[in-house]
Amino acid sequence: MIDFIKGTLIISGALFMLLASVGLLRLPDLLTRMHATTKAATLGVILVMLAAAMHFAEVGIVARSFAIIVFILMTAPVAAHVMGRAGYFVGSKLWSGTVKDELRPNYDPLTHELKSGLETQQNAKRQPRETDPD
């Protein structure tokens, strides 16, 4: 039974990593590619590490496997966020089917500064509208 579980974990992990590589090749822009590779590859590595921990069942190897899992869970989202932000700042093109770009009204491309949503709302309240009386 344990061999079946280990085999299932390894095959599932390999399939998720394959899915991540297919997503990297097939998806249209940087942000969707990063999403696919971050999510699928992270899950694939976690499944393979769980299988390795079950296979060897030694304290040292199990500890290393769980340390790798924790490291991947902590660093993959942060790395994806930083790469996505850098890609957006250097002007990588979004996919033509992108419906909403919530960063655009808050980003100044000349200074590379972001305004928080609260600052944008406050500035909108301060600016007089054309329909406001003098």
Side-chain angles (χ1 to χ4, degrees):
M1 183 65 180
I2 296 294
D3 289 337
F4 176 74
I5 293 172
K6 290 187 295 190
T8 303
L9 287 172
I10 289 175
I11 290 172
S12 299
L15 288 174
F16 274 106
M17 287 189 245
L18 177 66
L19 182 66
S21 63
V22 169
L24 185 64
L25 295 174
R26 299 280 302 166
L27 291 173
D29 68 344
L30 173 73
L31 299 178
T32 55
R33 287 179 190 149
M34 280 187 350
H35 180 76
T37 55
T38 302
K39 304 291 184 195
T42 299
L43 183 57
V45 169
I46 288 171
L47 294 174
V48 170
M49 287 294 108
L50 288 174
M54 288 178 68
H55 177 72
F56 292 105
E58 294 177 14
V59 175
I61 294 176
V62 171
R64 287 185 196 119
S65 295
F66 282 111
I68 290 169
I69 289 171
V70 169
F71 180 77
I72 295 281
L73 285 173
M74 289 173 47
T75 58
V78 174
H81 173 78
V82 169
M83 287 188 289
R85 185 174 169 141
Y88 190 88
F89 286 172
V90 298
S92 76
K93 300 280 184 195
L94 295 177
W95 176 45
S96 60
T98 300
V99 177
K100 192 172 193 178
D101 183 5
E102 293 182 358
L103 195 57
R104 184 177 306 236
N106 298 323
Y107 173 63
D108 183 7
L110 298 175
T111 62
H112 296 293
E113 290 181 1
L114 287 174
K115 299 174 192 167
S116 69
L118 181 61
E119 290 175 12
T120 305
Q121 291 172 359
Q122 289 173 347
N123 288 340
K125 288 179 183 176
R126 286 185 202 144
Q127 295 174 353
R129 297 185 182 142
E130 292 177 11
T131 58
D132 290 342
D134 292 330

XYZ file of all heavy atoms in Angstrom, residues 5-110:
792
model
N 1.125 4.451 -2.742
C 1.021 5.875 -2.384
C 2.259 6.631 -2.859
O 2.146 7.726 -3.432
C 0.815 6.035 -0.863
C -0.546 5.478 -0.463
C 0.926 7.499 -0.450
C -0.776 5.402 1.022
N 3.440 6.044 -2.644
C 4.681 6.698 -3.099
C 4.687 6.855 -4.615
O 5.036 7.925 -5.137
C 5.904 5.886 -2.659
C 6.169 5.920 -1.188
C 7.473 5.250 -0.827
C 7.432 3.771 -1.125
N 8.588 3.048 -0.576
N 4.281 5.799 -5.317
C 4.232 5.874 -6.781
C 3.244 6.913 -7.266
O 3.514 7.665 -8.215
N 2.103 6.978 -6.604
C 1.094 7.975 -6.968
C 1.614 9.389 -6.733
O 1.405 10.279 -7.571
C -0.199 7.741 -6.155
O -0.654 6.414 -6.390
C -1.274 8.731 -6.551
N 2.302 9.593 -5.605
C 2.860 10.918 -5.318
C 3.914 11.312 -6.346
O 3.925 12.455 -6.832
C 3.458 10.953 -3.911
C 2.460 10.957 -2.753
C 3.194 10.798 -1.429
C 1.636 12.217 -2.758
N 4.788 10.395 -6.699
C 5.849 10.714 -7.673
C 5.255 10.993 -9.048
O 5.624 11.976 -9.711
C 6.889 9.583 -7.735
C 7.708 9.575 -6.449
C 7.806 9.745 -8.943
C 8.676 8.441 -6.340
N 4.326 10.148 -9.485
C 3.723 10.364 -10.812
C 2.919 11.664 -10.836
O 2.995 12.436 -11.792
C 2.862 9.156 -11.215
C 3.780 7.955 -11.498
C 1.991 9.464 -12.419
C 3.067 6.654 -11.721
N 2.176 11.917 -9.762
C 1.402 13.167 -9.707
C 2.334 14.378 -9.708
O 2.069 15.366 -10.406
C 0.528 13.203 -8.451
O -0.377 12.154 -8.449
N 3.412 14.310 -8.932
C 4.380 15.407 -8.907
C 5.011 15.636 -10.264
O 5.149 16.780 -10.722
N 5.373 14.551 -10.934
C 5.969 14.678 -12.270
C 4.961 15.260 -13.259
O 5.326 16.085 -14.114
C 6.468 13.321 -12.743
N 3.701 14.859 -13.152
C 2.680 15.410 -14.050
C 2.450 16.895 -13.806
O 2.268 17.654 -14.760
C 1.371 14.629 -13.914
C 1.380 13.228 -14.517
C 0.073 12.500 -14.198
C 1.613 13.285 -16.006
N 2.469 17.297 -12.542
C 2.315 18.732 -12.264
C 3.512 19.526 -12.797
O 3.348 20.632 -13.310
C 2.123 18.982 -10.768
C 0.699 18.873 -10.332
C 0.262 17.780 -9.608
C -0.227 19.848 -10.670
C -1.053 17.666 -9.214
C -1.546 19.749 -10.278
C -1.964 18.650 -9.554
N 4.706 18.970 -12.679
C 5.875 19.672 -13.230
C 5.816 19.712 -14.755
O 6.202 20.715 -15.364
C 7.158 19.013 -12.737
C 7.437 19.303 -11.282
S 9.055 18.739 -10.780
C 8.600 17.483 -9.623
N 5.320 18.635 -15.375
C 5.114 18.642 -16.825
C 4.080 19.688 -17.214
O 4.254 20.430 -18.187
C 4.673 17.255 -17.305
C 4.360 17.136 -18.795
C 5.623 17.348 -19.627
C 3.727 15.793 -19.092
N 3.008 19.777 -16.443
C 1.975 20.788 -16.686
C 2.559 22.200 -16.578
O 2.225 23.084 -17.377
C 0.828 20.608 -15.695
C -0.359 21.543 -15.834
C -1.086 21.285 -17.141
C -1.295 21.351 -14.663
N 3.448 22.407 -15.621
C 4.089 23.719 -15.479
C 4.939 24.044 -16.705
O 4.927 25.174 -17.197
C 4.948 23.749 -14.222
N 5.663 23.053 -17.214
C 6.494 23.322 -18.391
C 5.643 23.551 -19.632
O 5.973 24.396 -20.478
C 7.489 22.183 -18.614
O 6.810 20.976 -18.881
N 4.531 22.849 -19.757
C 3.626 23.091 -20.887
C 3.021 24.489 -20.773
O 2.903 25.212 -21.765
C 2.520 22.004 -20.948
C 1.419 22.375 -21.933
C 3.137 20.673 -21.319
N 2.656 24.887 -19.550
C 2.131 26.232 -19.337
C 3.143 27.297 -19.692
O 2.804 28.348 -20.243
N 4.399 27.033 -19.401
C 5.462 27.984 -19.739
C 5.579 28.162 -21.249
O 5.824 29.262 -21.739
C 6.785 27.498 -19.153
C 7.984 28.404 -19.297
C 7.767 29.701 -18.541
C 9.223 27.703 -18.770
N 5.372 27.093 -21.981
C 5.488 27.167 -23.441
C 4.223 27.694 -24.119
O 4.307 28.376 -25.134
C 5.804 25.780 -24.001
C 7.153 25.200 -23.603
C 7.269 23.759 -24.097
C 8.290 26.041 -24.146
N 3.055 27.387 -23.574
C 1.814 27.660 -24.278
C 1.090 28.946 -23.893
O 0.319 29.470 -24.698
C 0.840 26.489 -24.067
C 1.315 25.159 -24.573
C 1.148 24.992 -26.022
N -0.267 25.159 -26.347
C -0.720 25.329 -27.549
N 0.088 25.353 -28.563
N -1.999 25.489 -27.777
N 1.292 29.431 -22.687
C 0.514 30.597 -22.243
C 1.047 31.883 -22.867
O 2.229 31.991 -23.186
C 0.494 30.662 -20.721
C -0.319 29.525 -20.087
C -0.171 29.535 -18.583
C -1.774 29.606 -20.471
N 0.174 32.895 -23.025
C 0.500 34.029 -23.889
C 1.387 35.125 -23.302
O 2.074 35.794 -24.062
C -0.874 34.609 -24.232
C -1.741 34.243 -23.092
C -1.227 32.926 -22.608
N 1.372 35.371 -22.009
C 2.168 36.486 -21.506
C 2.883 36.112 -20.206
O 2.692 35.034 -19.656
C 1.305 37.741 -21.329
C 0.288 37.632 -20.216
O 0.028 36.513 -19.761
O -0.254 38.672 -19.804
N 3.714 37.024 -19.754
C 4.558 36.781 -18.595
C 3.762 36.420 -17.353
O 4.091 35.464 -16.645
C 5.418 38.024 -18.314
C 6.239 37.992 -17.031
C 7.401 37.030 -17.177
C 6.709 39.371 -16.657
N 2.713 37.149 -17.064
C 1.986 36.932 -15.819
C 1.261 35.595 -15.787
O 1.274 34.906 -14.759
C 0.996 38.090 -15.598
C 1.650 39.471 -15.486
C 0.602 40.546 -15.324
C 2.638 39.516 -14.344
N 0.651 35.191 -16.891
C -0.017 33.891 -16.902
C 0.996 32.757 -16.885
O 0.760 31.720 -16.264
C -0.951 33.747 -18.112
O -0.214 33.996 -19.307
C -2.121 34.695 -18.011
N 2.126 32.927 -17.542
C 3.182 31.907 -17.491
C 3.707 31.733 -16.070
O 3.918 30.622 -15.615
C 4.339 32.299 -18.411
C 4.046 32.146 -19.859
C 5.222 32.573 -20.690
N 4.829 32.645 -22.076
C 5.345 33.482 -22.942
N 6.284 34.323 -22.578
N 4.934 33.477 -24.186
N 3.928 32.849 -15.406
C 4.430 32.771 -14.032
C 3.417 32.107 -13.122
O 3.789 31.333 -12.233
C 4.744 34.159 -13.494
C 6.035 34.682 -13.957
S 6.470 36.208 -13.159
C 5.034 36.686 -12.318
N 2.163 32.404 -13.309
C 1.125 31.801 -12.477
C 1.146 30.280 -12.634
O 1.135 29.545 -11.644
C -0.237 32.366 -12.863
C -1.365 31.811 -12.077
N -1.614 32.194 -10.783
C -2.298 30.889 -12.388
C -2.665 31.523 -10.330
N -3.099 30.727 -11.294
N 1.191 29.818 -13.873
C 1.175 28.372 -14.124
C 2.419 27.697 -13.560
O 2.325 26.658 -12.900
C 1.078 28.112 -15.621
N 3.563 28.282 -13.819
C 4.786 27.626 -13.359
C 4.918 27.669 -11.845
O 5.347 26.688 -11.238
C 6.031 28.261 -13.996
O 6.038 29.659 -13.743
C 6.068 28.012 -15.483
N 4.532 28.746 -11.221
C 4.659 28.839 -9.770
C 3.742 27.840 -9.081
O 4.174 27.087 -8.211
C 4.341 30.260 -9.290
O 5.223 31.168 -9.933
C 4.523 30.384 -7.802
N 2.488 27.821 -9.462
C 1.525 26.943 -8.791
C 1.814 25.469 -9.071
O 1.917 24.658 -8.160
C 0.090 27.265 -9.235
C -0.324 28.677 -9.040
C -0.452 29.017 -7.598
C -0.964 30.444 -7.489
N -0.824 31.006 -6.206
N 1.919 25.106 -10.341
C 2.058 23.699 -10.698
C 3.416 23.131 -10.287
O 3.497 22.012 -9.775
C 1.837 23.522 -12.198
N 4.482 23.876 -10.508
C 5.804 23.368 -10.143
C 5.945 23.250 -8.630
O 6.560 22.297 -8.132
C 6.889 24.267 -10.715
N 5.387 24.171 -7.880
C 5.442 24.090 -6.422
C 4.723 22.844 -5.934
O 5.252 22.093 -5.105
C 4.818 25.346 -5.786
O 5.563 26.485 -6.202
C 4.822 25.264 -4.279
N 3.534 22.597 -6.445
C 2.800 21.403 -6.044
C 3.549 20.136 -6.468
O 3.604 19.158 -5.715
C 1.395 21.419 -6.635
C 0.495 20.261 -6.231
C 0.356 20.173 -4.711
C -0.859 20.393 -6.886
N 4.157 20.154 -7.649
C 4.921 18.997 -8.113
C 6.105 18.688 -7.213
O 6.344 17.528 -6.848
N 6.850 19.700 -6.833
C 8.001 19.492 -5.949
C 7.541 18.995 -4.585
O 8.171 18.104 -3.992
C 8.830 20.795 -5.818
C 9.859 20.683 -4.724
C 9.498 21.128 -7.135
N 6.458 19.536 -4.070
C 5.950 19.101 -2.767
C 5.572 17.623 -2.811
O 5.921 16.852 -1.900
C 4.748 19.969 -2.342
C 5.238 21.358 -1.954
C 3.989 19.333 -1.192
C 4.127 22.354 -1.725
N 4.892 17.202 -3.860
C 4.498 15.798 -3.960
C 5.701 14.875 -4.065
O 5.738 13.810 -3.434
C 3.552 15.608 -5.150
C 2.187 16.287 -5.030
C 1.402 16.143 -6.321
C 1.410 15.735 -3.859
N 6.698 15.262 -4.835
C 7.904 14.439 -4.961
C 8.668 14.384 -3.635
O 9.168 13.320 -3.237
C 8.801 14.960 -6.112
C 10.158 14.286 -6.105
C 8.107 14.736 -7.445
N 8.741 15.489 -2.931
C 9.429 15.491 -1.630
C 8.696 14.637 -0.598
O 9.320 13.963 0.221
C 9.584 16.923 -1.103
C 10.627 17.747 -1.826
S 12.271 17.096 -1.559
C 12.637 16.400 -3.144
N 7.370 14.652 -0.636
C 6.608 13.777 0.254
C 6.875 12.307 -0.064
O 7.021 11.474 0.842
C 5.113 14.081 0.157
C 4.649 15.384 0.788
C 3.163 15.612 0.491
C 4.896 15.378 2.281
N 6.953 11.982 -1.347
C 7.268 10.600 -1.741
C 8.668 10.205 -1.291
O 8.872 9.081 -0.818
C 7.126 10.447 -3.255
N 9.622 11.115 -1.418
C 10.992 10.815 -0.969
C 11.037 10.606 0.538
O 11.710 9.689 1.028
C 11.938 11.943 -1.377
N 10.306 11.436 1.270
C 10.271 11.277 2.728
C 9.644 9.940 3.111
O 10.130 9.263 4.024
C 9.491 12.429 3.356
N 8.598 9.541 2.408
C 7.971 8.251 2.710
C 8.863 7.085 2.320
O 8.906 6.068 3.014
C 6.630 8.131 1.970
C 5.542 9.008 2.529
S 4.015 8.882 1.583
C 3.539 7.206 1.951
N 9.577 7.220 1.219
C 10.410 6.119 0.735
C 11.581 5.833 1.678
O 11.836 4.689 2.026
C 10.926 6.421 -0.671
C 11.835 5.371 -1.204
N 11.362 4.139 -1.595
C 13.176 5.342 -1.387
C 12.382 3.419 -2.011
N 13.491 4.117 -1.902
N 12.284 6.876 2.072
C 13.479 6.652 2.895
C 13.143 6.519 4.376
O 13.811 5.779 5.086
C 14.495 7.769 2.656
C 15.077 7.721 1.280
C 14.686 8.630 0.316
C 15.990 6.746 0.942
C 15.217 8.583 -0.965
C 16.518 6.677 -0.337
C 16.128 7.604 -1.287
N 12.139 7.222 4.844
C 11.642 7.118 6.224
C 12.749 7.192 7.278
O 12.714 6.492 8.278
C 10.817 5.844 6.390
N 13.732 8.023 7.024
C 14.783 8.286 8.015
C 14.603 9.720 8.497
O 14.215 10.609 7.724
C 16.161 8.112 7.405
C 16.460 6.682 6.994
C 17.818 6.551 6.318
O 18.635 7.507 6.403
O 18.057 5.517 5.700
N 14.922 9.951 9.757
C 14.680 11.262 10.353
C 15.369 12.372 9.577
O 14.778 13.409 9.293
C 15.129 11.262 11.839
C 14.999 12.659 12.426
C 14.324 10.263 12.630
N 16.621 12.158 9.209
C 17.378 13.195 8.498
C 16.777 13.527 7.143
O 16.655 14.700 6.766
N 16.390 12.509 6.408
C 15.834 12.733 5.072
C 14.433 13.328 5.156
O 14.075 14.222 4.381
C 15.854 11.424 4.261
C 17.308 11.030 4.018
C 15.090 11.571 2.963
C 17.509 9.731 3.330
N 13.632 12.872 6.102
C 12.296 13.436 6.279
C 12.396 14.913 6.668
O 11.659 15.757 6.148
C 11.500 12.628 7.333
C 10.198 13.334 7.683
C 11.229 11.221 6.828
N 13.334 15.226 7.560
C 13.525 16.625 7.967
C 13.953 17.487 6.789
O 13.457 18.609 6.621
C 14.549 16.711 9.095
N 14.860 16.986 5.980
C 15.292 17.747 4.799
C 14.152 17.925 3.805
O 13.994 18.997 3.207
C 16.465 17.042 4.125
C 17.744 17.165 4.884
C 18.907 16.549 4.111
N 20.017 16.351 5.005
C 20.569 15.183 5.283
N 20.127 14.091 4.701
N 21.569 15.088 6.115
N 13.356 16.875 3.621
C 12.229 16.971 2.695
C 11.233 18.037 3.153
O 10.775 18.853 2.346
C 11.511 15.621 2.577
O 12.356 14.663 1.992
N 10.922 18.036 4.433
C 9.987 19.043 4.932
C 10.609 20.442 4.920
O 9.908 21.426 4.692
C 9.471 18.673 6.322
C 8.403 17.623 6.269
C 8.630 16.346 6.741
C 7.169 17.906 5.702
C 7.645 15.377 6.670
C 6.177 16.944 5.624
C 6.420 15.659 6.108
N 11.924 20.521 5.131
C 12.590 21.823 5.029
C 12.516 22.349 3.597
O 12.273 23.543 3.372
C 14.036 21.718 5.481
N 12.681 21.474 2.628
C 12.570 21.874 1.220
C 11.141 22.333 0.913
O 10.927 23.342 0.241
C 13.003 20.726 0.289
C 14.510 20.508 0.403
C 12.591 20.996 -1.152
C 15.010 19.248 -0.262
N 10.162 21.598 1.420
C 8.763 21.974 1.192
C 8.475 23.351 1.774
O 7.878 24.209 1.114
C 7.823 20.907 1.787
C 7.898 19.633 0.957
C 6.387 21.423 1.850
C 7.176 18.447 1.570
N 8.913 23.588 3.002
C 8.677 24.898 3.631
C 9.400 25.997 2.861
O 8.845 27.081 2.621
C 9.113 24.867 5.117
C 9.135 26.256 5.707
C 8.198 23.958 5.908
N 10.642 25.729 2.448
C 11.412 26.717 1.688
C 10.710 27.067 0.379
O 10.582 28.247 0.029
C 12.820 26.178 1.420
C 13.681 27.129 0.653
C 14.249 28.222 1.278
C 13.915 26.924 -0.699
C 15.049 29.103 0.565
C 14.714 27.803 -1.408
C 15.277 28.890 -0.783
N 10.240 26.053 -0.340
C 9.540 26.290 -1.610
C 8.248 27.080 -1.372
O 7.935 28.015 -2.116
C 9.223 24.950 -2.313
C 10.492 24.239 -2.707
C 8.304 25.147 -3.504
C 11.172 24.727 -3.936
N 7.502 26.714 -0.336
C 6.250 27.423 -0.051
C 6.487 28.880 0.338
O 5.644 29.742 0.086
C 5.474 26.714 1.057
C 4.774 25.425 0.649
C 4.181 24.737 1.880
C 3.697 25.695 -0.377
N 7.623 29.163 0.953
C 7.913 30.544 1.362
C 8.497 31.373 0.231
O 8.230 32.573 0.139
C 8.875 30.538 2.553
C 8.240 30.064 3.835
S 9.383 29.857 5.204
C 10.334 31.340 5.173
N 9.295 30.771 -0.630
C 10.010 31.565 -1.635
C 9.311 31.650 -2.988
O 9.452 32.662 -3.675
C 11.426 31.009 -1.848
O 11.341 29.637 -2.258
C 12.249 31.128 -0.579
N 8.577 30.647 -3.398
C 7.966 30.660 -4.738
C 6.981 31.812 -4.923
O 7.065 32.526 -5.939
C 7.302 29.314 -5.033
N 6.059 32.069 -3.997
C 5.152 33.202 -4.215
C 5.853 34.555 -4.205
O 5.516 35.444 -4.987
C 4.165 33.111 -3.041
C 4.313 31.760 -2.480
C 5.684 31.299 -2.801
N 6.850 34.689 -3.339
C 7.582 35.954 -3.275
C 8.365 36.177 -4.565
O 8.353 37.272 -5.134
C 8.521 35.972 -2.046
C 9.394 37.203 -2.046
C 7.715 35.883 -0.765
N 9.027 35.138 -5.047
C 9.785 35.259 -6.296
C 8.874 35.570 -7.471
O 9.200 36.415 -8.316
C 10.563 33.970 -6.551
N 7.721 34.918 -7.531
C 6.775 35.189 -8.621
C 6.267 36.620 -8.562
O 6.140 37.289 -9.593
C 5.608 34.206 -8.556
N 5.993 37.106 -7.356
C 5.530 38.484 -7.210
C 6.592 39.473 -7.675
O 6.293 40.420 -8.410
C 5.157 38.760 -5.754
C 4.827 40.190 -5.490
N 3.611 40.743 -5.834
C 5.552 41.187 -4.939
C 3.613 42.021 -5.511
N 4.774 42.315 -4.950
N 7.823 39.253 -7.274
C 8.912 40.172 -7.646
C 9.145 40.143 -9.150
O 9.316 41.195 -9.778
C 10.192 39.827 -6.861
C 11.392 40.570 -7.402
C 9.996 40.125 -5.389
N 9.129 38.959 -9.745
C 9.333 38.872 -11.195
C 8.166 39.497 -11.960
O 8.369 40.179 -12.966
C 9.524 37.420 -11.622
C 10.865 36.862 -11.230
S 11.185 35.234 -11.914
C 10.057 34.249 -10.982
N 6.937 39.270 -11.487
C 5.781 39.875 -12.134
C 5.802 41.382 -12.048
O 5.505 42.085 -13.008
N 6.176 41.888 -10.886
C 6.252 43.337 -10.706
C 7.344 43.936 -11.595
O 7.132 44.963 -12.236
C 6.512 43.641 -9.238
C 6.487 45.083 -8.894
C 6.615 45.269 -7.397
N 6.838 46.657 -7.101
C 6.306 47.285 -6.082
N 5.535 46.631 -5.246
N 6.538 48.560 -5.883
N 8.497 43.279 -11.636
C 9.584 43.770 -12.494
C 9.178 43.723 -13.966
O 9.458 44.655 -14.727
C 10.846 42.945 -12.263
N 8.505 42.653 -14.357
C 8.037 42.551 -15.737
C 7.048 43.646 -16.082
O 7.080 44.213 -17.170
N 6.164 43.958 -15.150
C 5.184 45.017 -15.386
C 5.892 46.366 -15.487
O 5.562 47.185 -16.338
C 4.157 45.040 -14.253
C 2.972 45.930 -14.540
C 1.863 45.438 -15.204
C 2.973 47.264 -14.162
C 0.779 46.243 -15.470
C 1.892 48.087 -14.421
C 0.793 47.569 -15.075
O -0.269 48.376 -15.352
N 6.867 46.609 -14.619
C 7.565 47.894 -14.603
C 8.397 48.118 -15.863
O 8.538 49.246 -16.313
C 8.459 48.015 -13.383
C 7.699 48.244 -12.101
C 8.355 48.215 -10.893
C 6.341 48.478 -12.092
C 7.669 48.424 -9.709
C 5.644 48.689 -10.919
C 6.317 48.658 -9.723
N 8.979 47.058 -16.433
C 9.765 47.247 -17.651
C 8.891 47.263 -18.894
O 9.387 47.475 -19.991
C 10.885 46.192 -17.796
C 11.863 46.288 -16.667
C 10.335 44.801 -17.946
N 7.593 47.034 -18.711
C 6.663 47.200 -19.820
C 6.386 45.957 -20.625
O 6.086 46.059 -21.811
N 6.485 44.774 -20.015
C 6.143 43.578 -20.780
C 4.665 43.638 -21.146
O 3.823 44.065 -20.364
C 6.462 42.309 -19.996
O 5.515 42.085 -18.995
N 4.383 43.239 -22.351
C 3.018 43.349 -22.884
C 2.096 42.351 -22.192
O 2.452 41.205 -21.973
C 3.015 43.059 -24.379
C 3.871 43.996 -25.183
C 3.148 45.274 -25.419
C 4.005 46.152 -26.321
N 3.585 47.504 -26.333
N 0.905 42.826 -21.854
C -0.115 41.941 -21.337
C -0.813 41.252 -22.502
O -0.821 41.753 -23.633
C -1.140 42.727 -20.514
C -0.641 43.378 -19.232
C -1.756 44.180 -18.577
C -0.104 42.350 -18.280
N -1.407 40.130 -22.236
C -2.145 39.395 -23.237
C -3.306 40.245 -23.738
O -3.919 41.003 -22.970
C -2.628 38.094 -22.616
C -3.477 37.240 -23.472
C -3.276 36.906 -24.780
C -4.679 36.584 -23.080
N -4.263 36.076 -25.226
C -5.148 35.865 -24.194
C -5.400 36.524 -21.904
C -6.299 35.100 -24.169
C -6.544 35.761 -21.873
C -6.987 35.069 -22.993
N -3.630 40.138 -25.001
C -4.707 40.951 -25.575
C -6.065 40.613 -24.960
O -6.973 41.434 -24.985
C -4.765 40.754 -27.090
O -5.018 39.389 -27.394
N -6.201 39.441 -24.378
C -7.458 39.052 -23.741
C -7.542 39.441 -22.276
O -8.503 39.076 -21.600
N -6.563 40.184 -21.785
C -6.605 40.626 -20.392
C -7.781 41.574 -20.202
O -7.920 42.553 -20.928
C -5.289 41.324 -20.002
O -4.215 40.407 -20.180
C -5.321 41.793 -18.568
N -8.605 41.279 -19.222
C -9.829 42.038 -19.029
C -9.605 43.254 -18.147
O -10.122 44.327 -18.403
C -10.928 41.129 -18.417
C -12.190 41.910 -18.139
C -11.207 39.964 -19.328
N -8.804 43.112 -17.104
C -8.679 44.179 -16.132
C -7.221 44.340 -15.719
O -6.541 43.368 -15.447
C -9.538 43.836 -14.912
C -9.738 44.953 -13.962
C -10.765 44.547 -12.924
C -11.210 45.747 -12.158
N -12.240 45.405 -11.176
N -6.774 45.580 -15.671
C -5.431 45.909 -15.200
C -5.577 46.880 -14.035
O -5.662 48.086 -14.224
C -4.611 46.521 -16.335
C -3.179 46.831 -15.931
O -2.789 46.489 -14.791
O -2.447 47.405 -16.750
N -5.624 46.350 -12.829
C -5.863 47.192 -11.657
C -4.652 48.009 -11.250
O -4.764 48.929 -10.460
C -6.324 46.321 -10.483
C -7.674 45.715 -10.709
C -8.153 44.895 -9.531
O -7.415 44.770 -8.536
O -9.269 44.376 -9.607
N -3.496 47.687 -11.783
C -2.281 48.407 -11.410
C -2.120 49.703 -12.200
O -1.515 50.660 -11.720
C -1.069 47.500 -11.628
C 0.234 47.892 -11.004
C 0.081 48.054 -9.504
C 1.290 46.845 -11.289
N -2.674 49.751 -13.394
C -2.469 50.903 -14.278
C -2.817 52.250 -13.658
O -2.027 53.186 -13.731
C -3.234 50.712 -15.581
C -2.992 51.829 -16.583
C -3.707 51.552 -17.865
N -3.312 50.229 -18.316
C -2.788 49.979 -19.504
N -2.627 50.936 -20.354
N -2.449 48.764 -19.839
N -3.974 52.432 -13.014
C -4.273 53.769 -12.469
C -3.393 54.141 -11.270
O -3.293 55.317 -10.928
C -5.736 53.689 -12.058
C -6.097 52.261 -12.038
C -5.109 51.531 -12.871
N -2.752 53.170 -10.659
C -1.943 53.449 -9.470
C -0.450 53.509 -9.756
O 0.346 53.739 -8.839
C -2.191 52.380 -8.404
C -3.620 52.357 -7.957
O -4.251 53.401 -7.852
N -4.144 51.179 -7.722
N -0.049 53.286 -10.999
C 1.372 53.203 -11.341
C 1.787 54.380 -12.204
O 1.151 54.678 -13.212
C 1.641 51.883 -12.066
C 3.034 51.763 -12.613
C 4.125 51.767 -11.766
C 3.254 51.645 -13.973
C 5.408 51.654 -12.267
C 4.524 51.527 -14.490
C 5.601 51.536 -13.630
O 6.872 51.424 -14.117
N 2.867 55.050 -11.788
C 3.435 56.147 -12.567
C 4.663 55.615 -13.302
O 5.692 55.347 -12.679
C 3.829 57.301 -11.646
C 4.357 58.499 -12.412
O 4.303 58.490 -13.660
O 4.820 59.449 -11.752
N 4.608 55.448 -14.633
C 5.731 54.846 -15.356
C 6.984 55.719 -15.393
O 8.076 55.210 -15.622
C 5.179 54.603 -16.762
C 3.979 55.457 -16.876
C 3.478 55.717 -15.500
N 6.840 57.010 -15.158
C 8.015 57.881 -15.176
C 8.848 57.747 -13.900
O 10.069 57.730 -13.950
C 7.586 59.335 -15.383
C 6.873 59.620 -16.703
C 6.392 61.055 -16.743
C 7.786 59.304 -17.865
